[in-house]
Amino acid sequence: MESYATVEAPPGAAAYDVAVVEPDANLRTRLGVELSGAAQFETMEDLVQRLDPSRPVVAVFGPGFASPIGFQHVHRVTSSHSMLGVVFAVYELSTDVLQQALRAGARDAVVIGGEASLNQSVDRVGELLAGAATTRTQAPAARTGEPGRLISVFSTKGGVGKTCIAINVAASMAKRSSEPVILVDGDLQFGDVSVMLSMQAQNTVLDAAAAVQYGDLELAQTLATKDQATGLLVLPAPIESMPTDALLPGEMVNICAALQAIAGHVVIDLPSVFNDYVLAIIEASDEVLLVGSMDIPSIKNLKIGMAQLDLQAIAGPKLKLVLNHANAKVKLDVKEIERVLGMSANFPVPDDLAMPISVNAGRPVVVDEPKSPVSRALDHIAESLLGPTALPKKGRRGK
């Protein structure tokens, strides 16, 4: 019987074991050698016989399991073993394979011999499993009553400052809220939230997707990283660009729902694309911030996008227009833009040099320059979204 390759975790954390499961003997040996003598199993049954419910194990499944029946077997095991972390090692990683792997409960998938390191993937999943018990104790308590509110930040055209708006509004909300506020980077392909916050986050939305897929909502609720400057909890997009349809529409909605159980507000930064993934989240949202800019291409794309997605019908009164660079002297009038779009500019945000300076510094402008005009405008959005749950401003006495 094979013995596991035990990896020592940092002091204070449990160790985790590594195993390779692959029917092809030569490939199984190759992967075992690459993973420093990991235990090797030919069948799923061999692995299951060795699993200890209290012991973290990272199992690398080879191409022999990258099939419909293989994914089913893996899903069956991950559903009943919470301390098992799965990584798929395949020859070609298509969108379909990635989706099936995630739905089977995998934490990651890498190409054999590709740029992504199998060892790094195993280390990341192993550290996540080994620290799960400790991390669970640090998770915010589940809310009583209604779930937290979901706020989508969306634009029909890139380059209008959507992510800056999402980050700063969420950061401002976190400073003012008595309950946790979580920012989710929903742009799997070009997400920049972690970069703009200079954040080295270990876990991403893919880890949350895997946890939610096999029912471990408690683990999904512990994966966000805390921004010390604001108290904002952040669940970033993957470091490596993923296909826009890597997650099915309902999967990101389920992630947000798990987070809404512990947070007063969940803010999700959506990609500027028109697909079912975006529509599903907008429909599930309590508020939708639609971001535009003071230029003709932006307004044109807003008009076309609103009609194509039928945003007025889908979002209705929860749709709020955020007009970025609203004070820019570009011979465009806000009233004219409102007439063209058929909706009021609920939140005008002024053009302010403080914003690009804060972006380059990797800090929210509401933290870097809290008294600047742009920060005041963003704070106003945050206070409007928080409503009566906002904490009193400093220096203001309750009556």
Side-chain angles (χ1 to χ4, degrees), residues 296-377:
I296 294 297
S298 173
I299 302 307
K300 182 207 74 173
N301 279 275
L302 271 180
K303 183 69 173 178
I304 294 173
M306 288 173 64
Q308 185 172 344
L309 293 175
D310 201 8
L311 277 180
Q312 294 282 18
I314 294 173
K318 65 187 180 184
L319 187 65
K320 304 292 189 299
L321 177 60
V322 179
L323 198 55
N324 207 6
H325 313 301
N327 63 337
K329 294 179 172 57
V330 290
K331 297 184 179 180
L332 274 180
D333 184 70
V334 173
K335 294 296 183 184
E336 179 63 17
I337 292 174
E338 291 178 330
R339 186 190 67 78
V340 171
L341 296 178
M343 64 184 301
S344 300
N346 306 87
F347 302 117
V349 177
D351 198 18
D352 194 329
L353 186 60
M355 179 65 88
I357 291 175
S358 73
V359 169
N360 290 335
R363 294 187 295 270
V365 70
V366 294
V367 172
D368 216 30
E369 292 288 345
K371 295 183 179 180
S372 65
V374 67
S375 291
R376 293 182 188 277

Side-chain angles (χ1 to χ4, degrees), residues 30 37 46 59 69 93 100 120 176 182 186 209 232 248 255 271 276 287 293 300 307 342 351 355 388:
R30 172 186 167 187
D46 293 338
I69 187 66
L93 187 57
Q100 292 189 69
Q120 289 178 351
R176 288 166 167 75
I182 301 177
L232 177 66
L248 287 178
I255 293 172
D276 291 338
E287 304 281 353
S293 187
K300 182 207 74 173
D351 198 18
M355 179 65 88

Side-chain angles (χ1 to χ4, degrees), residues 9-32:
Y16 59 91
D17 299 323
V18 182
V20 173
V21 191
E22 164 59 37
D24 184 290
N26 291 332
L27 180 56
R28 186 169 68 245
T29 301
R30 172 186 167 187
L31 293 174

